[in-house]
Amino acid sequence: MNRKTFNSTHIGAASIMLIFMVLSLVSFAALTMVNSRADFILSRKMEDRSKAYYAACHEANAFIAESASHIKRAYDVSSSEQSFNDFLGDNSFTKSFPLTDIQTLDIAIEAKYPRFNEDPLYQITSYRVVTHDEKIELDETLPVLKQE
């Protein structure tokens, strides 16, 4: 009687496939955790930046309202453009509101004597975020391959 022998390698293939699947799931889970942590940190930074920006905008709007009332008072008191300019002195109002250590929100308002009653008394000439630190160096290199 001839006995047929079977060489069984299928049991090992299933184990290797299971190990590969577990390693894949663990590595994807780790990548997901790292990515979600980076997104969380970025969200925090953006939240802090947004809060600082809107706080500065709130202060800037108060400055604009205060300047507008001062310009309105000058217009009510003055009888001509010359007396309006004399009352105000300098026709421009500027102020900076801090956002971060290196950025400010700069506001500039210019008073205008209206030619007609419906003309505005002032014009906002600048409302922008300015970076003041010139020492910032952006690293735009990509160290993929070191050449010696």
Side-chain angles (χ1 to χ4, degrees):
M1 266 183 118
N2 285 339
R3 282 187 144 180
K4 292 184 180 179
T5 59
F6 295 103
N7 293 333
S8 176
T9 57
H10 301 291
I11 297 173
S15 297
I16 290 174
M17 184 64 107
L18 181 65
I19 291 170
F20 177 73
M21 293 295 290
V22 168
L23 286 174
S24 297
L25 289 174
V26 167
S27 61
F28 286 136
L31 288 173
T32 302
M33 294 273 296
V34 169
N35 192 26
S36 62
R37 176 152 167 57
D39 287 345
F40 177 74
I41 291 171
L42 181 62
S43 296
R44 283 284 182 210
K45 287 181 182 178
M46 291 304 297
E47 176 189 19
D48 294 341
R49 168 90 166 98
S50 295
K51 284 181 181 179
Y53 178 77
Y54 286 116
C57 283
H58 180 69
E59 292 176 25
N61 288 336
F63 169 71
I64 292 169
E66 180 182 320
S67 299
S69 67
H70 183 68
I71 294 169
K72 176 74 170 134
R73 245 180 293 132
Y75 178 71
D76 290 342
V77 170
S78 64
S79 58
S80 67
E81 186 174 354
Q82 182 63 36
S83 62
F84 176 76
N85 291 333
D86 290 341
F87 184 82
L88 287 177
D90 186 15
N91 283 357
S92 63
F93 301 88
T94 60
K95 192 167 182 181
S96 294
F97 302 95
L99 293 175
T100 62
D101 295 339
I102 59 173
Q103 287 186 331
T104 59
L105 176 65
D106 291 352
I107 306 294
I109 301 170
E110 182 181 329
K112 297 174 126 186
Y113 189 79
R115 302 286 179 223
F116 303 104
N117 287 338
E118 61 272 356
D119 288 347
L121 290 171
Y122 64 92
Q123 178 180 4
I124 299 173
T125 56
S126 175
Y127 194 102
R128 62 191 176 131
V129 176
V130 178
T131 302
H132 294 285
D133 192 0
E134 308 307 305
K135 298 177 184 176
I136 296 176
E137 294 181 16
L138 299 176
D139 184 15
E140 296 179 352
T141 61
L142 188 59
V144 177
L145 177 66
K146 290 185 180 181
Q147 295 180 356
E148 294 180 31

